Amino acid sequence: MKHSSEGICYCGKGRNLNIAELLCASCSTWFHESCIGYQLGKLVPLMMNYFFVCKNCSATGLETFKKNQATFPQMCVTAIGNLMQASVKEGKPRKMFSKDHDIVPFIDCHWEGMTTMARRVTQSWHATIHRTLTKEVGTMFLCKDTSHDGSHPLYGLLGLHLTQIKPNYEAMIKGGHLRITEMGIQQVTAAGSVKGRNSRKKTLGDHGAGPSKKGRGGDSGAIKLPAHGYPLEHPYNKDGYRYILAEPDPHAPFRQ
Ligand SMILES: [Zn+2]
Ligand SMILES: [Zn+2]
């Protein structure tokens, strides 16, 4: 994915950081949300958590799009990127932002556009954002605190230009989440990528205040399955056997 090999959107125009744009996994071209025929749903600019193939690269002539669950670091990068771009638009460019006054409010406002994860019922994720930012200082984020008591840290992106905020398709290929086939590049719908799609509504209601107490380990909105990977409510038949899924279950990442 060299810069020189990057093409240009169907419309022939260059990038516009004020609107959502998607990078084709196959030809590394950026496409404007408004030029894409696929019903994309809610998005925000500068996202990292999706898979997109343009019409030109598709065997069927149709675009492919899938929004994935964003990690918290990805949500922070997208939030800071959008805050930077908004400040440029306002004519008051800023690079450093407050977790409480800028980053958390942005994510709160745009949650559904940013991720497929169910919106949290409690505010415990504010602390997760804080931990994410602090943990990745020096790797992904910059941190400066100009207050005398060190109580108002500001966070920015470390050496990442806004035009470079994109899905890491190379890592997705290496990690086995994307596969290059005769039909073009395809997303492997296995562990993680389709997590929570069927269970989103239920999870919100069922868990109640749960995620705040035990949400540490997995920040997923998916139904928790036992370690063996299939639901407990599968009934035994009269011979004492029970039927389990013969196909790989995307909700059971540890069971092949
Ligand atoms: Zn366009
Ligand atoms: Zn393409």
Side-chain angles (χ1 to χ4, degrees), residues 33-253:
E33 179 183 30
S34 49
C35 298
I36 293 169
Y38 192 97
Q39 290 290 313
L40 298 167
K42 260 193 213 175
L43 297 178
V44 297
L46 309 173
M47 289 174 56
M48 305 173 75
N49 53 307
Y50 63 85
F51 170 70
F52 175 72
V53 175
C54 79
K55 276 187 235 176
N56 304 336
C57 295
S58 154
T60 59
L62 298 171
E63 291 142 343
T64 303
F65 173 75
K66 173 101 173 49
K67 182 158 81 178
N68 297 319
Q69 182 170 307
T71 63
F72 276 99
Q74 288 174 340
M75 287 176 94
C76 291
V77 169
T78 296
I80 295 172
N82 276 278
L83 291 162
M84 285 173 73
Q85 182 61 19
S87 73
V88 169
K89 220 173 144 188
E90 280 167 24
K92 296 175 200 160
R94 285 167 64 198
K95 287 189 169 165
M96 303 298 286
F97 300 90
S98 146
K99 183 212 87 180
D100 292 326
H101 301 298
D102 303 308
I103 298 169
V104 163
F106 181 90
I107 295 174
D108 197 34
C109 186
H110 299 282
W111 186 286
E112 285 78 14
M114 295 178 81
T115 184
T116 57
M117 183 170 24
R119 186 181 272 270
R120 298 306 168 80
V121 289
T122 70
Q123 298 195 337
S124 61
W125 62 272
H126 295 193
T128 311
I129 297 293
H130 180 74
R131 277 197 309 277
T132 302
L133 290 165
T134 323
K135 193 178 161 212
E136 301 295 344
V137 163
T139 52
M140 298 176 78
F141 306 111
L142 285 166
C143 181
K144 273 183 200 149
D145 198 331
T146 49
S147 63
H148 30 254
D149 58 353
S151 61
H152 292 94
L154 297 178
Y155 297 93
L157 298 178
L158 178 65
L160 182 62
H161 192 263
L162 295 188
T163 56
Q164 297 168 341
I165 299 177
K166 60 188 179 187
N168 192 342
Y169 287 134
E170 281 156 40
M172 288 163 84
I173 291 167
K174 273 192 199 136
H177 301 295
L178 294 183
R179 188 183 296 148
I180 298 160
T181 70
E182 283 175 13
M183 295 291 285
I185 195 159
Q186 290 177 347
Q187 184 163 24
V188 181
T189 48
S193 58
V194 293
K195 206 187 283 173
R197 197 167 52 183
N198 304 322
S199 58
R200 199 177 311 154
K201 284 214 182 79
K202 235 187 266 172
T203 315
L204 250 182
D206 289 351
H207 279 211
S212 66
K213 281 175 194 147
K214 47 175 193 169
R216 285 299 102 84
D219 272 311
S220 74
I223 288 177
K224 297 279 177 291
L225 287 171
H228 53 59
Y230 49 86
L232 288 170
E233 60 266 30
H234 274 295
Y236 286 91
N237 67 14
K238 64 181 166 57
D239 299 317
Y241 290 102
R242 66 177 167 185
Y243 293 99
I244 60 165
L245 297 166
E247 292 171 4
D249 181 355
H251 296 289

Side-chain angles (χ1 to χ4, degrees), residues 8-14 19 21 30-36:
I8 209 154
C9 180
Y10 310 128
C11 69
K13 294 187 188 130
I19 61 168
E21 299 172 293
W30 286 96
F31 294 88
H32 309 114
E33 179 183 30
S34 49
C35 298
I36 293 169

